[in-house]
């Protein structure tokens, strides 16, 4: 089992924090509307400042619940579902309050809400293709800038009218303008990175990522992720270590023919992919190495897997596999890299992640592809099957089946 995962109930400290945030959103809206903009109503400055401070505290809890989930190894499906919703509820609620106070244009909440709908829908479409579009830093900057701008605008109408209040309000409007630009930019960036999947010709032949093949591949992938169900290939005889080394030899042959170097990022296989590659004599001209990222902290600090991914979907996910492969390629300086992250057992299963589920990523510097298998057998067998599958991904890529072709 990948490190950092263990059995836990739904009411983890992280989920409690998230639920409190959701519950407090309508409370905050009611309080804000009751107090109103102090500079207009002539109400209590302390109450107005309190509204701004409470919003800031609710915003900060987003980082708190993410930290608790990752540090305690308590990333749950419930948390993945609720955490992003809580963030969006808070931002939209605050923008609507500011709209009611005539502090923002109606365009702002419309742009924010439209972007969230469009990107959420796009993510569902992209996920069916087996392709993961890595999250960029634009989203983080967008969120941070939006939160700070809202706090500034709330403070500006809580303070007595004067130069300080005016300066804070101008700063808030400037930051909000930047946030709107980042909102549009980050949304466009996600669509641009997903354009091959979104605008693929469904009658296109020759690529396993398009057309009829994609439809049946998506159905097969959905079946394979059910607990206890494995693909036809996974039901074949369990591989041996010699089988792993034989596939590794083919990887090296294909890589040499094209002058490529390879590397790996391993979690549940614990270095076995690199071990199979280096078991072949003379492999040093092709193999750059591997990053053993069994711990969640190594995935983040060494491979650059984002905290958002680890906190929302967890280490056993296509998003994590994609970022692991990309991080290994950059860290090792290789041309092609493969990643492996899964639940080898005997424990660690979740409702949507059975024992034997392994996600793979392969990156060639132009595109990153992910796929999953649910392997049968005990821990040792799952690990060996994962090694063979990872090596076969490397073999196909190094033999000319480029991910972007």
């Amino acid at each position: 089992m990948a490190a950092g995962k263990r059995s836990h109930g739904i009411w983890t400290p992280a989920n409690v924090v998230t639920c409190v945030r959701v519950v407090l959103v309508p409370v905050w809206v009611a309080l804000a509307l009751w107090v109103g903009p102090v500079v207009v109503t002539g109400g209590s400055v302390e109450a107005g400042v309190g509204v701004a401070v409470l919003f800031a505290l609710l915003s900060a809890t987003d980082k708190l619940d993410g930290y608790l989930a990752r540090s305690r190894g308590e990333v749950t499906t419930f948390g993945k579902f609720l955490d992003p919703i809580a963030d969006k509820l808070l931002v939209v609620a605050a923008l609507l309050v500011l709209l009611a106070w005539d502090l923002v244009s109606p365009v702002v909440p419309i742009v924010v809400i439209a972007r969230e709908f469009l990107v959420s829908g796009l993510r569902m479409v992209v996920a069916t293709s087996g392709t993961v579009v890595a999250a960029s830093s634009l989203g983080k900057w967008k969120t941070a800038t939006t939160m700070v701008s809202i706090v500034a605008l709330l403070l500006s109408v809580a303070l007595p009218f004067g130069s300080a209040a005016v300066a804070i309000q101008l700063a808030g409007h400037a930051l909000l303008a930047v946030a709107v630009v980042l909102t549009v930019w980050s949304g466009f960036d996600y669509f641009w990175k997903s354009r091959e999947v979104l605008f693929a010709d469904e009658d296109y032949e020759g690529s396993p990522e398009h057309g009829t093949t994609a439809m049946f591949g998506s159905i097969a992938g959905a079946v394979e992720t059910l607990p206890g169900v494995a693909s036809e290939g996974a039901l074949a005889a369990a591989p041996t270590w010699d089988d792993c080394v034989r596939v590794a030899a083919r990887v090296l042959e294909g890589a040499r023919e094209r002058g490529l170097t390879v590397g790996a990022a391993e979690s549940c296989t614990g270095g076995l992919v690199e071990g199979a590659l280096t078991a072949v004599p003379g492999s040093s001209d092709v193999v750059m190495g591997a990053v053993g990222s069994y711990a969640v902290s190594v995935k983040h600090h060494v491979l650059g897997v984002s905290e958002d991914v680890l906190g929302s979907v967890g280490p056993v996910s296509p998003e994590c596999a994609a970022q692991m492969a990309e991080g290994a390629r950059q860290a090792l300086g290789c041309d092609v890299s493969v990643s492996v992250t899964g639940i080898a057992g005997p424990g660690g299963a979740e409702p949507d992640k059975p024992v034997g589920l392994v996600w793979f990523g392969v990156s060639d510097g132009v595109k990153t592809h992910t796929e999953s298998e649910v392997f049968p057998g005990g821990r040792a067998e799952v690990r060996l099957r994962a090694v063979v599958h990872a090596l076969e991904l490397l073999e196909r890529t190094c033999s000319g089946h480029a991910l972007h072709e």
Side-chain angles (χ1 to χ4, degrees), residues 34-60:
W34 178 67
V35 172
V38 174
V39 70
V40 176
T41 64
S44 167
V45 172
E46 290 79 9
V49 172
V51 168
V53 171
L54 179 57
F55 177 84
L57 290 175
L58 291 175
S59 302

Side-chain angles (χ1 to χ4, degrees), residues 63-329:
K63 292 296 183 183
L64 176 60
D65 56 14
Y67 169 77
L68 289 173
R70 290 186 298 273
S71 63
R72 296 170 58 89
E74 294 175 342
V75 177
T76 67
T77 302
F78 179 73
K80 297 173 197 174
F81 160 74
L82 193 61
D83 182 65
I85 291 178
D87 301 336
K88 293 172 177 57
L89 281 175
L90 181 60
V91 169
V92 171
L95 290 176
L96 292 178
V97 167
L98 294 177
L99 177 63
W101 293 349
D102 292 326
L103 281 174
V104 299
S105 165
V107 172
V108 177
I110 289 173
V111 168
V112 171
I113 294 171
R115 187 262 188 198
E116 296 303 335
F117 271 109
L118 290 170
V119 171
S120 296
L122 181 61
R123 282 178 179 146
M124 290 188 290
V125 172
V126 171
T128 63
S129 72
T131 300
V132 174
V133 179
S136 69
S137 59
L138 288 173
K140 292 182 179 179
W141 281 106
K142 178 262 298 182
T143 301
T145 307
T146 303
M147 296 293 192
V148 173
S149 67
I150 291 173
V151 172
L153 291 173
L154 291 171
L155 280 175
S156 71
V157 294
L159 300 175
F161 183 77
S163 58
V166 172
I168 293 174
Q169 187 166 128
L170 289 175
H173 282 301
L175 286 173
L176 189 59
V178 173
V180 171
V181 172
L182 290 175
T183 296
V184 176
W185 186 5
S186 62
F188 175 79
D189 179 67
Y190 200 96
F191 271 83
W192 180 254
K193 291 178 180 178
S194 309
R195 65 191 183 281
E196 292 184 10
V197 176
L198 186 62
F199 302 113
D201 181 358
E202 296 191 7
D203 293 325
Y204 177 74
E205 297 179 0
S207 171
E209 297 179 5
H210 301 288
T212 306
T213 305
M215 179 180 68
F216 285 104
S218 297
I219 295 173
V223 172
E224 288 168 13
T225 56
L226 293 175
V229 178
S231 65
E232 181 180 350
L235 293 175
T240 64
W241 179 247
D242 288 340
D243 294 327
C244 297
V245 176
R246 277 193 290 270
V247 180
R250 299 202 302 266
V251 172
L252 298 175
E253 181 181 358
R256 285 195 186 97
E257 289 178 357
R258 289 162 180 78
L260 300 174
T261 56
V262 303
E266 302 185 61
S267 184
C268 63
T269 49
L272 293 177
V273 173
E274 182 188 25
L277 288 167
T278 56
V280 181
S283 58
S284 59
D285 63 331
V286 173
V287 181
M288 298 298 289
V291 177
S293 54
Y294 200 69
V296 170
S297 59
V298 177
K299 291 180 177 70
H300 174 57
H301 293 295
V302 178
L303 295 176
V305 179
S306 72
E307 292 184 345
D308 290 342
V309 164
L310 294 172
S312 61
V313 293
V316 184
S317 63
E319 293 85 355
C320 183
Q323 293 189 14
M324 285 173 63
E326 294 164 355
R329 190 178 56 77

Side-chain angles (χ1 to χ4, degrees), residues 10-37:
I10 187 175
W11 295 114
T12 63
N15 287 347
V16 170
V17 170
T18 305
C19 288
V20 169
R21 184 159 82 254
V22 171
V23 170
L24 287 180
V25 168
V27 174
W28 178 84
V29 171
L31 177 64
L33 293 177
W34 178 67
V35 172

